[in-house]
Amino acid sequence: MGKILVANGEKRKLMEIFNKSHVTVRRALNGETDTKLARKIRKAAIERGGVEQPQTKQS
């Protein structure tokens, strides 16, 4: 799962929508968590114009 890139200020809007902390939203958008809530945050971010960045291979 890749990162989801959002426009400036969009993380704050997602924080308000879901009533969650910056850390929770950041971890969800970075693909660090895979909970029901994280999937909802990622889906909302994409619906609001976010773009998923392909995951890069790490050696």
Side-chain angles (χ1 to χ4, degrees), residues 2-56:
K3 291 183 179 184
I4 296 179
L5 306 176
V6 294
N8 287 339
E10 199 57 37
K11 284 182 187 175
R12 180 158 303 281
K13 298 270 189 202
L14 292 167
M15 288 168 52
E16 292 171 3
I17 290 168
F18 291 98
N19 194 29
K20 297 296 174 188
S21 70
H22 179 265
V23 174
T24 301
V25 172
R26 177 179 49 82
R27 286 181 178 166
L29 295 179
N30 286 342
E32 296 173 17
T33 55
D34 189 30
T35 62
K36 222 180 213 185
L37 175 61
R39 288 190 291 270
K40 286 181 182 180
I41 292 171
R42 286 192 291 271
K43 182 178 183 226
I46 289 171
E47 288 173 353
R48 295 176 58 83
V51 178
E52 186 170 357
Q53 181 181 30
Q55 189 173 9
T56 58

